Amino acid sequence: MTPNGKLNVVLAQSAQIEEVSPGGHRRLLASLPQPADGGVNTPSLGFSLATGLVRTDDGTLYVRYAAGDDSLTGIWRIRPGGKPQRIIPLSTASFPNGMALDERTGRLYIADSTRGIIWRAPITGGTPTAWASGADYEPSGLLGVNGLKLHNGAVWVSNLDQGRLLRVPVTPDGSAGPAQTKASGLTSLDDFEFVGDTDDVVGTLNAANEVALIHPENGSHSTILTGEDGLRGPTSLALRGNKLYVLSAAFVIEDGKPNILTANFHRTHHH
């Protein structure tokens, strides 16, 4: 989200990045190059897609791209008014998904959904290193580690197939501590965001077509939005003050049309 209240959004299958105003006006910012074959080698899905972005204060966008192509898959940088450049390469077998920037160290953490790896790389670009991997992060059918956020000295990730929210401590030497399961039974948990400074999380349950409020201190969760509210396979969200923005990609909804839904979020949802 930009300082003036506009949303930067990724149109996944067309690999285009748009700016959407509060009134719904859309402006194209950039398009990533598409693989000639449409991305048939993209793992799990068989079509190429851009999976989201990180925006830094100077307006630069860092976009994740799963293209099924060694020359395209990875992290792309788009400077304001500039051409997209791939700065962090990943292989065809990778499915870069959730990503977050540690502003203190200038490092990006990237969830690789098909290989079950959290990569780390400098935001300036270069070859990524595997920061964490293993059974906790791996898919059991489609996609494993998915959404990713940095919060209070730890990397938090969702595992879509396993329906779990994990906290991975960043140890004093910067390596990954053992993953801790903070909540489970969250069908197709995709993206999520923390509520203020708390450990409470709002998460999108993609195939379940729900948004849930998750309480990691005891592992419980409650449903706060459903298809009746207009969700169409929610894949990402943003919480700004008391406003919740939910982006539905409609990948798994038969007659779904992608949309952006806004809802008032009251902290009275909390116990």
Side-chain angles (χ1 to χ4, degrees):
M1 181 166 261
T2 66
N4 56 7
K6 294 177 178 173
L7 290 173
N8 291 142
V9 303
V10 171
L11 306 182
Q13 279 186 264
S14 63
Q16 293 180 320
I17 297 88
E18 286 191 353
E19 181 182 81
V20 182
S21 74
H25 179 74
R26 296 164 57 176
R27 182 169 76 98
L28 180 67
L29 298 179
S31 302
L32 299 181
Q34 299 255 37
D37 60 7
V40 291
N41 296 313
T42 305
S44 290
L45 294 189
F47 57 87
S48 62
L49 76 165
T51 59
L53 54 80
V54 162
R55 182 184 189 277
T56 52
D57 290 340
D58 64 358
T60 303
L61 304 175
Y62 296 84
V63 182
R64 294 96 76 168
Y65 196 22
D69 185 310
D70 280 339
S71 67
L72 296 174
T73 296
I75 309 304
W76 289 67
R77 180 178 63 208
I78 304 162
R79 292 201 165 109
K83 281 203 168 107
Q85 278 182 302
R86 185 173 74 153
I87 59 163
I88 299 167
L90 288 165
S91 77
T92 295
S94 286
F95 193 106
N97 211 325
M99 180 171 75
L101 169 64
D102 182 350
E103 300 200 0
R104 204 173 48 82
T105 62
R107 287 172 169 152
L108 287 165
Y109 290 83
I110 305 150
D112 190 332
S113 295
T114 45
R115 294 171 72 186
I117 295 171
I118 299 175
W119 298 99
R120 188 168 71 180
I123 195 165
T124 48
T127 306
T129 50
W131 182 73
S133 61
D136 286 315
Y137 309 102
E138 286 168 4
S140 54
L142 187 68
L143 299 172
V145 63
N146 193 312
L148 185 151
K149 293 285 185 287
L150 294 172
H151 182 70
N152 291 348
V155 174
W156 292 63
V157 288
S158 62
N159 186 314
L160 186 117
D161 282 350
Q162 297 181 20
R164 292 196 292 155
L165 177 66
L166 304 169
R167 178 184 183 271
V168 189
V170 180
T171 64
D173 70 4
S175 63
Q180 306 154 347
T181 298
K182 288 297 187 176
S184 55
L186 296 156
T187 307
S188 64
L189 176 62
D190 194 326
D191 189 32
F192 60 91
E193 184 146 340
F194 287 93
V195 179
D197 298 328
T198 73
D199 279 356
D200 285 345
V201 163
V202 186
T204 58
L205 307 185
N206 189 337
N209 206 29
E210 293 173 357
V211 170
L213 180 62
I214 304 160
H215 303 289
E217 79 275 9
N218 61 15
S220 70
H221 69 273
S222 55
T223 302
I224 58 173
L225 291 171
T226 68
E228 289 180 8
D229 297 300
L231 296 180
R232 293 292 178 268
T235 52
S236 68
L237 50 73
L239 184 57
R240 295 294 178 269
N242 289 328
K243 237 190 179 35
L244 185 62
Y245 299 83
V246 186
L247 281 71
S248 290
F251 285 129
V252 291
I253 305 285
E254 290 284 315
D255 55 351
K257 291 191 166 60
N259 64 28
I260 300 176
L261 187 123
T262 61
N264 290 319
F265 179 84
H266 300 292
R267 291 173 190 250
T268 49
H269 282 132
H270 299 218
H271 25 256

